[in-house]
Amino acid sequence: MTRSVWLKADDEVGDWEARKRRITAGLEAGVDWVLVDRRDVGRVRDLGRVNVAAFAGDDVHVMDAETDDTPDPDAVVVGKGGEGDGTVDLPSDLSGSADLTTLRRTDGAGGAYVRILDSEYESFAEAAADEADYTIVVGEDWQIIPLENLIARIGEETDLVAGVQSAEEAKTAFETLEIGSDAVLLDTDDPDEIRSTVEVRDESEREHLDLEYATVTDVEETGSADRVCVDTASMLEHDEGMLVGSMSRGLFFVHAETADSPYVASRPFRVNAGAVHAYVRTPGGETKYLAELKSGDEVQVVDTAGNTREAIVGRAKIEKRPMFRVEAELENGDRIETLLQNAETIKVATEAGRKSVTDLSVGDEMLVRYEAVARHFGEAVEESIIEK
C-alpha cells in the first residue's frame, strides 16, 4: 500500500495569505495532496507541483471545461456545506442523498468528505465509499473505533483518508487494525508538524530487512578493476550504508564514508560500493548493476539494524582501483562474494564493529543480506541460476 498525506487548506484555514503559508509549508515538506476550495486550484498550481483536490461547493464539477476558466482539480470532493459535514441533514433513505447523487455525476476522480458525528454518518461514509475514489472521514474527537469499523468494512473499493491534526494521530491512523488508512488529511498550520507527518508517511512505507552474519572464508588481492563510488544527494548516518555484492542472493553491507581518517576527509554522502559488475539493492527489493547507476536514480540506504530509506543518486563515479575479493559463508553452507576496493577508507560491518576492508581476516563475521532467490533484470524470479 502506498500511503499519502493530504493537507487541508480551504477557507476554514483563513484568508488566502494564511492558506498560502500552509500550502507552501506542505509543498516544502513533500505532501502528496492539497485540499482547497475550487477557486484556489490555479493558485496552488502556481505555487508548485502537487495533486490538488477541490471541494465541489455549489458549482459541483460537472461543468463544461470550455466555459469554466477555473483549472480542473485532480479530484473533486463532495460533502462540504452538504450532508457530509452535517450542514444538511442526512436523508432517512440514502438513495435520496444529494451528496451521493453529486458523486455519481462528477467527471473524473471524485471524493467524499464525511464528518463522523455518529453511527449514521459511519453508514453514510460506507455508502459514499461505493461511489468515491477517495473517502475522507473526520472524527469529531479522533475516535479510533469509527476508523476501525470503516477500515474493516470498506475494503479496497476506495482510498480511505483519515482526518488528523498531528503526526502522532497520523501514525495511529496508518497503524489502525495493522492495515491502516490509505492516507491522512492533516489540518494544522505548524510546519514542523507537517514535516513530521510526512516523515511518518515515509516510515510507514519503508522496508525492514533481516540481516545476518556470514563468516569470511577468503580475502585476496585481485588486481585493478573499475569501481563505483555512489554519491547520493543525502547525508548518511554513521550506521548507514548500502547492500552490494557479486551474487544477487547475498549482498554485503558496506558503510558510507562517514568516518574521518588520516588519509582523506569524510564523505558522508558516499558509499564506495565495489566493482561495476556488482549488484546494489534498490527500493522495492530490486537490484541494479553498479555500472547502471546514474544521477537521479534511487538506491536503498540501509542501517546495521535493517532499517531502510531511499536516497537519490547525485553521481556515480567510476575509476580504476586495486581490489580485494571477499568471500563469506552463510550458516546454510552457501558461499557469497564481492569485490571491494583495496583501501583503508572502505569499511564494512562486522560482529566486532566497523572494520576497514584492508583489516578483514578469515573468520571475521560480516553483516549481509541473504535471499535464496534468482534475479532477472533486477527482479526476484523463481528460476535456477548458478553464480560463481
Side-chain angles (χ1 to χ4, degrees):
M1 177 190 296
T2 300
R3 314 281 189 180
S4 59
V5 174
W6 295 48
L7 185 65
K8 190 171 185 288
D10 62 336
D11 60 5
E12 292 180 357
V13 170
D15 61 18
W16 168 241
E17 287 305 314
R19 302 196 298 274
K20 181 180 176 181
R21 285 193 296 273
R22 180 182 286 204
I23 293 165
T24 301
L27 292 173
E28 291 175 350
V31 301
D32 305 284
W33 286 82
V34 174
L35 176 60
V36 295
D37 294 310
R38 183 162 168 70
R39 67 177 178 273
D40 285 342
V41 172
R43 287 170 162 178
V44 176
R45 293 240 167 88
D46 288 341
L47 292 176
R49 182 176 295 183
V50 69
N51 294 309
V52 184
F55 283 117
D58 295 331
D59 60 358
V60 182
H61 190 56
V62 182
M63 291 195 260
D64 185 343
E66 293 181 2
T67 62
D68 179 18
D69 293 333
T70 304
D72 290 335
D74 297 293
V76 175
V77 178
V78 175
K80 180 180 177 180
E83 297 157 345
D85 67 0
T87 302
V88 177
D89 291 339
L90 290 177
S92 56
D93 182 356
L94 293 182
S95 64
S97 163
D99 281 3
L100 297 185
T101 299
T102 297
L103 268 175
R104 297 186 193 103
R105 296 170 55 213
T106 300
D107 293 337
Y113 179 82
V114 184
R115 290 172 59 203
I116 307 299
L117 304 174
D118 55 33
S119 59
E120 290 185 7
Y121 283 86
E122 275 189 52
S123 299
F124 182 65
E126 286 182 57
D130 289 334
E131 310 292 342
D133 298 285
Y134 308 98
T135 304
I136 303 168
V137 293
V138 180
E140 287 304 283
D141 298 306
W142 183 236
Q143 298 171 2
I144 301 301
I145 298 302
L147 183 57
E148 288 181 346
N149 293 342
L150 291 168
I151 289 172
R153 294 171 187 164
I154 286 177
E156 298 180 358
E157 64 232 40
T158 188
D159 277 3
L160 184 61
V161 185
V164 300
Q165 293 183 320
S166 68
E168 183 179 354
E169 289 184 357
K171 187 173 189 297
T172 301
F174 284 142
E175 294 176 349
T176 298
L177 286 187
E178 298 184 3
I179 299 172
S181 62
D182 299 278
V184 293
L185 173 65
L186 180 64
D187 187 2
T188 182
D189 287 320
D190 186 345
D192 290 336
E193 205 66 51
I194 296 172
R195 282 192 295 271
S196 295
T197 302
V198 171
E199 289 172 6
V200 166
R201 175 204 66 192
D202 292 343
E203 289 171 4
S204 72
E205 294 186 325
R206 286 173 182 157
E207 184 180 19
H208 180 84
L209 302 177
D210 292 326
L211 305 181
E212 57 187 289
Y213 287 100
T215 305
V216 175
T217 53
D218 195 13
V219 181
E220 64 172 348
E221 295 183 25
T222 60
S224 293
D226 293 331
R227 72 95 175 95
V228 182
C229 282
V230 182
D231 291 347
T232 71
S234 301
M235 299 297 281
L236 306 185
E237 299 295 332
H238 195 65
D239 62 346
E240 290 183 321
M242 293 177 194
L243 294 170
V244 297
S246 296
M247 298 172 176
S248 61
R249 67 184 183 276
L251 303 179
F252 293 79
F253 180 95
V254 179
H255 272 289
E257 293 189 6
T258 55
D260 288 321
S261 80
Y263 312 101
V264 295
S266 65
R267 300 286 189 271
F269 50 81
R270 171 177 293 175
V271 175
N272 189 324
V276 287
H277 75 285
Y279 296 103
V280 61
R281 205 170 198 275
T282 57
E286 298 181 1
T287 60
K288 280 190 174 183
Y289 294 118
L290 286 173
E292 293 178 336
L293 291 181
K294 61 185 184 302
S295 180
D297 286 347
E298 274 194 332
V299 288
Q300 188 175 64
V301 173
V302 187
D303 68 17
T304 51
N307 300 307
T308 70
R309 63 186 177 101
E310 292 73 48
I312 297 171
V313 176
R315 170 180 53 239
K317 186 180 178 187
I318 303 175
E319 298 165 307
K320 192 172 289 295
R321 292 290 186 268
M323 307 294 284
F324 277 131
R325 184 183 71 88
V326 180
E327 180 188 78
E329 183 175 313
L330 282 299
E331 276 191 8
N332 64 6
D334 195 3
R335 293 197 175 197
I336 58 175
E337 61 182 58
T338 197
L339 295 181
L340 295 172
Q341 183 181 337
N342 180 350
E344 294 85 351
T345 53
I346 288 80
K347 305 287 176 53
V348 294
T350 72
E351 201 165 31
R354 190 183 185 109
K355 197 168 191 177
S356 172
V357 68
T358 56
D359 294 330
L360 271 181
S361 303
V362 171
D364 284 342
E365 300 288 326
M366 290 182 68
L367 196 62
V368 303
R369 166 68 175 177
Y370 183 78
E371 297 176 276
V373 297
R375 290 186 182 272
H376 182 66
F377 291 107
E379 295 190 18
V381 295
E382 293 184 10
E383 184 179 3
S384 177
I385 294 178
I386 298 173
E387 296 176 299
K388 62 181 181 179

